[in-house]
Amino acid sequence: IIEAIYAVLNGEDYFLSSQDCLRLMGFTNEDYEKLKNAKISEARIAKVAGNSIVVSVLEAIFKVLL
């Protein structure tokens, strides 16, 4: 169960929305809207973000390895 995901911003706790979580993982606002339009809950969207990998980070890793 995801209760809250937060970051510290200027010394203050900032609670991330599911949209914030998606953005951090490289998804677009359009991706978020598609999930919302499909009636997927905020908690499930945050879980999807948490189970993803940032494509640009993965590409950088492969570049180093190759």
Side-chain angles (χ1 to χ4, degrees), residues 22-58:
L22 284 176
R23 285 185 192 140
L24 287 171
M25 298 306 290
F27 290 91
T28 66
N29 289 337
E30 289 178 359
D31 296 326
Y32 172 77
E33 291 301 325
K34 288 177 187 176
L35 292 170
K36 288 301 293 178
N37 290 338
K39 307 290 188 219
I40 298 173
S41 71
E42 293 292 321
R44 184 71 179 140
I45 292 171
K47 188 172 183 177
V48 166
N51 287 334
S52 63
I53 185 167
V54 181
V55 173
S56 59
V57 171
L58 187 61

